Amino acid sequence: MKTYAIALIPGDGIGKEVVPAGRQVLEALARSRSDLHFEFEHFDWGADYYRRHAVMMPHDGLDRLRAKDAILFGSAGDPGLPDHITLWGLRLRICQGFDQYANVRPTRILPGIDAPLKRCSPEDLDWVIVRENSEGEYSGVGGRVHQGHPIEAAVDVSMMTRVGVQRILRFAFGLAQSRPRKQLTVVTKSNAQRHAMVMWDEIAHEVAEEFPDVRWDKELVDAMTARMVNKPDTLDTIVATNLHADILSDLAAALAGSLGIAPTANLDPQRRYPSMFEPIHGSAFDIMGKGLANPIGTFWSVVMMLEHLGENEAAQQVMRAIEAVTSDPSLHTGDLGGHATTAQVTDAVCRFILEPGRR
């Protein structure tokens, strides 16, 4: 039997509801199999922790996570705190501290989901967006001077390094190579950002030579938004900078039906540190504590976590349960136009894992 140590960090808002739901699914999975066991440790870091300690996570937080096999994360964000404090103090501190430089976001239309692209079949929208996750527009380089005065100035620097661009493009080409269509779209903005993005384009051409069996093209980020809506079937694997992919992946999730169903993996592909898995929906304080949060994005993140751990059969077991539940409109939460609760969806997924013939 394999035992995996999983860190649970619910964070803020509905993260405190969907991460416990993710734990329930993993526990159901372990009960259904004789070859898997999970040991969980809960960390109460986030905005409430900040109010008590003036930091989002303790100074030794990374050391406490280092020995874990994976991290299941909820969300960071609280209307009572500035966004840069909640984001940089927790999620980005973990991502950058563990060099989780590859952010991977699969998107497809799950069974039973009424997606906005009415003329689009589920086969036409099956993408994976790879986001550079360690530098670029979120490098944290910059500053403010003369605060509060008319001459106040603020600068944010998009910092891209050759090694950072090479490794994310190499990761994206490799991922595209592993998918049936062997196709990659490299998103850029080198017509306006003439230094770092020109380097990005040049490195893309260099790395492409290592993957002669991958078909690839280049798209400007603004044109990419239109292509995602108008020609979804022309896309498969997509790679973009930290900011561009952040925006495009939210658009992709909305086109697939809801932000509530979309998962994310923050990966250290070299496996030096634990990788982190999370839904992309954010803290959603407007529905916090009402039992209305859609846990599907968390469950799909669990699938990605299991795949990263090498437990592909278990991952498919959970994915089959997710698809069985989304196929039933009575189990759709409000974001999908239904009335089901977080608990009802979670119970249904767990039941299907334990008894595949039941819903």
Side-chain angles (χ1 to χ4, degrees):
M1 177 186 292
K2 294 182 181 178
T3 299
Y4 294 102
I6 308 299
L8 303 176
I9 308 177
D12 305 321
I14 62 171
K16 297 178 181 180
E17 299 169 60
V18 296
V19 166
R23 175 175 180 165
Q24 285 181 248
V25 165
L26 284 168
E27 289 173 337
L29 179 67
R31 290 199 303 274
S32 74
R33 307 176 63 93
S34 60
D35 60 341
L36 277 181
H37 178 68
F38 300 100
E39 293 180 350
F40 301 100
E41 185 173 359
H42 178 274
F43 296 90
D44 64 343
W45 305 336
D48 290 339
Y49 188 91
Y50 183 91
R51 292 185 180 96
R52 298 193 302 270
H53 304 284
V55 289
M56 291 288 289
M57 61 183 286
H59 299 296
D60 65 347
L62 293 180
D63 291 333
R64 294 168 63 179
L65 296 173
R66 200 177 302 274
K68 303 300 182 185
D69 293 300
I71 303 164
L72 185 61
F73 185 81
S75 62
D78 185 296
L81 294 176
D83 288 340
H84 69 278
I85 288 178
T86 56
L87 182 64
W88 282 93
L90 185 57
R91 184 186 175 277
L92 288 185
R93 185 175 167 199
I94 295 171
C95 288
Q96 294 190 353
F98 286 150
D99 201 18
Q100 297 167 348
Y101 67 84
N103 178 280
V104 180
R105 296 186 172 185
T107 302
R108 60 185 175 89
I109 301 174
L110 296 177
I113 302 297
D114 184 22
L117 293 184
K118 303 300 182 185
R119 67 180 182 276
C120 175
S121 68
E123 293 76 23
D124 290 340
L125 203 165
D126 186 356
W127 307 331
V128 177
I129 297 178
V130 177
R131 170 185 174 187
E132 200 294 311
N133 207 36
S134 65
E135 51 181 40
E137 302 89 349
Y138 297 172
S139 62
V141 178
R144 292 173 65 182
V145 295
H146 307 300
Q147 293 187 41
H149 297 280
I151 59 171
E152 182 174 356
V155 175
D156 277 300
V157 178
S158 176
M159 182 69 67
M160 295 189 193
T161 65
R162 172 164 285 272
V163 67
V165 176
Q166 280 179 331
R167 67 183 186 177
I168 197 62
L169 287 171
R170 200 167 276 133
F171 178 90
F173 271 96
L175 181 59
Q177 188 180 53
S178 72
R179 287 169 59 83
R181 294 175 65 183
K182 299 184 185 299
Q183 176 185 334
L184 177 68
T185 298
V186 178
V187 178
T188 184
K189 192 57 182 170
S190 49
N191 61 337
Q193 295 174 285
R194 61 181 186 166
H195 301 298
M197 290 261 48
V198 170
M199 183 181 75
W200 173 278
D201 289 353
E202 292 171 354
I203 294 173
H205 282 277
E206 295 168 9
V207 174
E209 295 180 1
E210 303 173 20
F211 300 87
D213 56 335
V214 175
R215 292 183 297 112
W216 75 285
D217 63 353
K218 187 178 79 169
E219 194 74 78
L220 296 176
V221 65
D222 44 345
M224 185 64 174
T225 60
R227 182 173 168 186
M228 290 168 69
V229 174
N230 294 325
K231 299 179 180 179
D233 57 314
T234 68
L235 298 166
D236 186 83
T237 308
I238 301 159
V239 62
T241 69
N242 214 331
L243 175 62
H244 292 165
D246 190 8
I247 296 167
L248 293 176
S249 57
D250 276 16
L251 172 60
L255 293 175
S258 170
L259 293 182
I261 62 176
T264 298
N266 301 287
L267 301 178
D268 165 27
Q270 280 70 47
R271 299 174 184 268
R272 299 157 296 171
Y273 310 104
S275 292
M276 183 164 68
F277 304 84
E278 58 176 321
I280 74 169
H281 50 55
S283 54
F285 263 74
D286 56 325
I287 60 170
M288 177 186 176
K290 299 179 181 179
L292 303 177
N294 190 340
I296 293 296
T298 299
F299 301 159
W300 198 346
S301 299
V302 164
V303 170
M304 298 186 77
M305 182 181 77
L306 291 166
E307 290 172 340
H308 182 71
L309 294 173
E311 299 295 344
N312 294 319
E313 183 181 318
Q316 288 307 306
Q317 186 178 346
V318 177
M319 199 70 219
R320 286 192 296 270
I322 291 170
E323 292 176 338
V325 169
T326 61
S327 296
D328 184 349
S330 71
L331 292 170
H332 288 183
T333 47
D335 58 306
L336 297 174
H339 302 284
T341 65
T342 310
Q344 289 170 336
V345 176
T346 303
D347 290 345
V349 170
C350 290
R351 280 199 307 272
F352 193 91
I353 289 171
L354 292 167
E355 302 177 56
R358 290 184 58 196
R359 295 208 185 164

